[in-house]
Amino acid sequence: KGKTRKMKDSGVEWIGEIPEDWEIVKIKNVYKNPKEIVGNKVNLFKRLSLTLRGVIKRPKEDAKGLQPERFEGYQILKKGQLVFKLIDLENINTSRVGLSPYVGLVSPAYIILDNEKASKYGYYFFLSMWHRQIFNQLGGDGVRSSIGPKDLLNFPYVLASYDEQQKIANFLDEKV
């Protein structure tokens, strides 16, 4: 305690200074982007939805919001994976990122990132991006601006040691 860490400029405006031993990498260096379409196994899974309250279970017959005719094109989200809704970025009152406590089906428009070791820290990192409206700035100027998986995977990510990531996530779990 009390000793100040040596900091360095991250080189990314919206990230600012970071501890000297941390690095900036591309998200794709840390996470995989699985897209496992459910197909004919649709009845084995519950439907999930990313909301402002996080990832929740939702009945397949729930009529709120846009409704698919069928769920065969939906993708499988697994417990511990991060899920992103990076469409219609000008709408600042919608959720953008969740950490799934369940296995289930999500819209094919969602982006899934997978790295069990990094997910909890990553969730807070991406949540902070959302709260500061960073996604909105990175999504281009279209009326329905969005960010696709390729763009997301190339964004900068602050990489601390896994040990430190765990400590940060645990600290935030207690505070949030």
Side-chain angles (χ1 to χ4, degrees):
K1 298 252 183 260
K3 72 176 181 137
T4 52
R5 283 182 103 155
K6 287 197 79 157
M7 303 293 277
K8 67 180 179 187
D9 183 0
S10 69
V12 180
E13 191 182 335
W14 54 268
I15 293 176
E17 290 203 324
I18 58 173
E20 221 173 33
D21 53 332
W22 293 11
E23 54 184 322
I24 299 290
V25 298
K26 289 185 188 305
I27 291 172
K28 66 182 173 192
N29 295 59
V30 182
Y31 294 91
K32 287 183 173 44
N33 168 225
K35 187 150 185 165
E36 193 182 338
I37 301 299
V38 70
N40 61 7
K41 298 191 294 267
V42 73
N43 294 332
L44 302 176
F45 297 93
K46 290 253 182 268
R47 178 184 187 187
L48 301 175
S49 196
L50 177 56
T51 71
L52 291 168
R53 299 186 313 281
V55 176
I56 61 165
K57 291 180 177 166
R58 186 171 163 192
K60 286 184 180 147
E61 51 288 338
D62 178 358
K64 266 210 296 271
L66 293 172
Q67 270 322 295
E69 290 286 307
R70 311 171 53 150
F71 292 91
E72 281 75 13
Y74 268 42
Q75 53 184 334
I76 299 170
L77 176 66
K78 297 185 174 138
K79 187 177 171 168
Q81 289 181 327
L82 293 166
V83 60
F84 296 81
K85 181 168 49 178
L86 299 178
I87 48 180
D88 288 339
L89 291 175
E90 75 288 351
N91 177 0
I92 55 174
N93 299 317
T94 188
S95 49
R96 293 286 168 217
V97 58
L99 177 60
S100 185
Y102 313 113
V103 174
L105 299 180
V106 293
S107 162
Y110 287 6
I111 300 170
I112 296 173
L113 292 185
D114 186 40
N115 176 342
E116 217 172 298
K117 276 172 92 176
S119 282
K120 198 64 189 264
Y121 165 83
Y123 172 65
Y124 286 119
F125 176 79
F126 296 120
L127 201 60
S128 150
M129 280 179 75
W130 172 55
H131 285 299
R132 295 182 298 138
Q133 298 182 12
I134 303 298
F135 291 120
N136 307 54
Q137 297 163 33
L138 298 171
D141 293 329
V143 172
R144 296 178 65 92
S145 76
S146 64
I147 294 169
K150 278 195 177 64
D151 292 329
L152 179 64
L153 289 168
N154 282 305
F155 286 159
Y157 183 79
V158 179
L159 191 63
S161 70
Y162 280 117
D163 184 45
E164 216 160 358
Q165 288 183 35
Q166 199 57 55
K167 286 181 182 151
I168 291 167
N170 292 343
F171 174 80
L172 290 170
D173 279 348
E174 276 177 34
K175 298 285 177 212
V176 177

